[in-house]
Amino acid sequence: MLSRENVMREALSELEAQRARNVMTEKARREEAAEKSAAVADLLEQRRRLFTSGMRSAFSSPGKAKDISASMQSGVAQINAQLRAALKACGLPEDYLQPVYRCAECRDTGYVGEPVHEPCACLKRAVMNRLYQSEGLQGLERENFSAFDEAIFPDEAIEGKKNTQRSFIRRCREYCEQYADGFDPAEGKGLLFCGRSGLGKTFLMNCVAQRVLERGYSVVVISAYKLIEAMRRYQFGEEGLEQVQDMLSCDLLCIDDLGSEPMLRGVTVSSLYHIVNERRNANKAIVVTTNCDADDLYEKYDDRIAARLTDPSRMKVIPFIGVDVRRFARG
Ligand SMILES: [Zn+2]
C-alpha cells in the first residue's frame, strides 16, 4: 500500500493542476463570449479598466483605499449585471463567466474552514480512493459495467428453473447498475451477493464500486481476508487506525468473499460485528459478496451479524445461481 503522505501529496498536486485547468477554462470562455458578442467584449474591457484604475488610485492614495475599493465594487457589480444580460442575449448561460471549479466547497483548494483549516471532503475522498485503488484490488478500472460480458454465461435453463443463467445475470446486472446510479450515501442501503464461486459476484461488486467512485463518492473495496488482517493488526496495537477509520467512514464499503477469511478466536467475529454494526448505526451502506447463504451466515458468525447482513429493510440479498463460468472466461 502507498503511504498516506505520498497519496496526499499526489492528491494536492492534482488539485493544483485542476486549478490551472480552471484558469484556462475561464480564459477560453471569456475569449469565446467576447468573440460571440461585441457587447460582452466591451463590458469585459470596461471591467478590466475599472480594476486597473481602481488599483492604481488605491496605490497612489492609500488613505482613500477604503472608499476607492467600495466604489470599485459597486462599479463591478453594475458591469456584472449588464454582463449577465449580454451573455443571455447572445445565447450563453448567464453564469458562463463565473469562476470555474469542480468542488464548490473548497473551490479546488482542498481545504475548507475558517479559522481552522481542515481538509475538504473532496480531498479526503481523493486520498481514500487512491489508497484503496492502489492496492490493486481486482483491477477496478477493468471491471466495470461496460466491460461486463453476459455472453460468457450459458444461455441454457438453470437446473430446476425456467430462466437461463444469462437472463438471470442480465437482471442482476441491471439491478446493480440502477443501484450504483441511484446510490445515495444518506440512505445506507446495501447489497449481499450470495452464491458459489465463479458466478460473477465479485465482478458485479467491482462494477458497482467503480460506478459509485465515478459518481464522486468514497469507496473502499477490501477482501474479507484483508479486512480481518487489518482489524487484527489494529486490535493488537500494531498499526492501522487510519485504515479502520476509512472502512468505517467511507460512503460505500465493499467486502469481497466473506467466509474465506481465517476464523481467529476473539478477532474475526468481533471485528466483523464492529464494522457491520458501526456502519449500520451511522446509516452507511455495505456491499458484501459471500459463498455463504443466509443459514451459513447465522451458523458461521453470530446472529447479530447475520441479521444485519440480511435485514430486508437495509440489504438487498441476491442469490447467484448457475454454473461456474470462470472456465469460460479469458485470463
Ligand atoms: Zn473540495
Side-chain angles (χ1 to χ4, degrees):
M1 199 156 140
L2 295 173
S3 87
R4 200 168 280 262
E5 291 72 40
N6 285 340
V7 169
M8 181 65 138
R9 214 169 299 136
E10 253 178 57
L12 283 171
S13 76
E14 162 55 28
L15 277 172
E16 198 180 326
Q18 180 62 39
R19 291 197 297 277
R21 284 195 295 274
N22 296 346
V23 171
M24 303 282 279
T25 309
E26 288 166 7
K27 182 167 179 276
R29 287 186 178 184
R30 278 198 302 276
E31 286 167 2
E32 181 200 348
E35 195 145 300
K36 214 166 171 188
S37 152
V40 169
D42 185 45
L43 287 162
L44 284 174
E45 179 56 22
Q46 277 184 43
R47 193 171 68 177
R48 193 189 61 77
R49 272 199 221 127
L50 188 66
F51 267 122
T52 332
S53 70
M55 298 293 252
R56 206 173 287 147
S57 36
F59 191 72
S60 57
S61 27
K64 294 189 207 151
K66 241 183 172 170
D67 294 341
I68 296 169
S69 148
S71 87
M72 193 165 95
Q73 270 178 27
S74 79
V76 167
Q78 250 176 33
I79 295 178
N80 283 348
Q82 288 171 285
L83 254 179
R84 281 194 289 278
L87 286 167
K88 207 172 165 188
C90 73
L92 288 170
E94 275 187 350
D95 60 358
Y96 199 56
L97 300 181
Q98 292 295 305
V100 171
Y101 37 75
R102 215 164 34 177
C103 174
E105 298 302 319
C106 69
R107 301 193 162 203
D108 300 341
T109 62
Y111 289 91
V112 288
E114 287 294 337
V116 184
H117 223 38
E118 60 169 45
C120 180
C122 75
L123 179 60
K124 291 189 203 160
R125 203 162 53 220
V127 167
M128 205 186 279
N129 290 345
R130 267 164 207 269
L131 271 175
Y132 292 93
Q133 288 214 336
S134 73
E135 256 196 294
L137 280 154
Q138 335 280 344
L140 274 191
E141 64 288 343
R142 272 182 295 117
E143 303 205 332
N144 52 58
F145 285 113
S146 41
F148 186 89
D149 182 9
E150 63 176 43
I152 64 167
F153 294 87
D155 205 15
E156 288 141 27
I158 301 167
E159 220 182 306
K161 307 262 175 196
K162 266 203 306 211
N163 292 322
T164 72
Q165 193 168 345
R166 192 176 298 171
S167 70
F168 171 79
I169 199 77
R170 186 184 302 139
R171 280 214 312 279
C172 290
R173 178 225 149 109
E174 281 165 8
Y175 185 88
C176 289
E177 196 162 10
Q178 270 173 21
Y179 171 85
D181 285 339
F183 177 80
D184 176 351
E187 272 183 355
K189 290 250 158 76
L191 306 168
L192 176 68
F193 297 165
C194 299
R196 291 198 313 269
S197 300
L199 300 178
K201 300 188 303 293
T202 298
F203 196 107
L204 267 181
M205 181 186 76
N206 285 342
C207 294
V208 168
Q210 180 63 25
R211 178 66 56 85
V212 172
L213 264 175
E214 283 164 12
R215 293 188 52 225
Y217 298 111
S218 57
V219 179
V220 170
V221 182
I222 192 163
S223 65
Y225 186 93
K226 283 195 172 172
L227 182 147
I228 295 305
E229 196 41 41
M231 292 298 281
R232 189 190 61 77
R233 276 203 312 269
Y234 170 59
Q235 196 172 323
F236 293 103
E238 288 172 40
E239 55 188 359
L241 170 65
E242 282 166 326
Q243 199 177 3
V244 173
Q245 278 171 342
D246 289 345
M247 292 192 281
L248 293 176
S249 70
C250 61
D251 294 322
L252 180 64
L253 173 66
C254 298
I255 304 174
D256 192 28
D257 216 5
L258 183 69
S260 68
E261 72 286 351
M263 291 302 275
L264 307 174
R265 187 191 293 272
V267 176
T268 303
V269 170
S270 60
S271 299
L272 201 59
Y273 178 71
H274 181 69
I275 297 276
V276 168
N277 191 52
E278 286 291 310
R279 286 193 65 87
R280 183 194 166 95
N281 290 344
N283 207 29
K284 283 174 173 290
I286 46 177
V287 174
V288 178
T289 77
T290 179
N291 289 357
C292 302
D293 61 21
D295 290 345
D296 299 336
L297 289 176
Y298 275 94
E299 207 167 292
K300 192 170 163 87
Y301 300 101
D302 182 296
D303 287 4
R304 295 170 307 166
I305 296 176
R308 279 161 181 67
L309 290 178
T310 55
D311 173 1
S313 74
R314 305 285 297 258
M315 299 291 284
K316 168 77 175 172
V317 180
I318 304 181
F320 281 60
I321 45 177
V323 297
D324 186 338
V325 295
R326 282 174 307 180
R327 58 200 166 95
F328 305 123
R330 296 171 300 260

